[in-house]
Amino acid sequence: MSHKHLHLLRSLFQDPPSGNIHWREIESLLHHLGASVEPVHGARFRVVLNRHEYFLHHPHQGSVFGRQDIKHLREFLARAGVSPSSYEAQHEAGEKAS
């Protein structure tokens, strides 16, 4: 995981949630985590990660996610088994195997 993605993942899980996270950053992180992101209807996107499904709404005004949207995304990532600590552990294990 790049430092950029790890920093974003940490930002998503911090309290209070950041109010300055952009759609393109979240989409990039989800793809990096191996999620499929498919447009469904209008501003809705279907995200599937580790066999967990979530419907994500593209922000209507600008491209910055609201704090409530970030909380919902954080809950989805946690259900899918993704957290900063789990990803750091996986990254360290990958470096040791190399």
Side-chain angles (χ1 to χ4, degrees):
M1 172 177 269
S2 73
H3 292 288
K4 179 179 163 183
H5 287 125
L6 184 56
H7 178 71
L8 177 59
L9 191 58
R10 287 179 181 155
S11 295
L12 290 172
F13 279 84
Q14 76 183 11
D15 271 325
S18 173
N20 193 26
I21 298 177
H22 294 265
W23 165 257
R24 59 183 161 70
E25 296 171 313
I26 295 206
E27 187 177 23
S28 174
L29 174 66
L30 290 170
H31 285 294
H32 183 78
L33 293 171
S36 68
V37 181
E38 305 166 355
V40 178
H41 178 62
R44 291 182 55 172
F45 289 81
R46 178 177 178 255
V47 179
V48 178
L49 176 63
N50 298 336
R51 296 188 309 233
H52 288 81
E53 183 179 63
Y54 178 65
F55 287 92
L56 186 64
H57 296 269
H58 187 285
H60 296 289
Q61 302 295 328
S63 63
V64 177
F65 272 77
R67 287 188 168 95
Q68 196 64 30
D69 295 325
I70 291 171
K71 286 181 181 180
H72 292 293
L73 179 61
R74 176 188 344 182
E75 292 167 5
F76 163 70
L77 290 172
R79 282 193 314 272
V82 176
S83 70
S85 58
S86 70
Y87 231 85
E88 287 173 356
Q90 186 180 18
H91 181 67
E92 288 175 12
E95 286 181 352
K96 289 180 182 176
S98 303

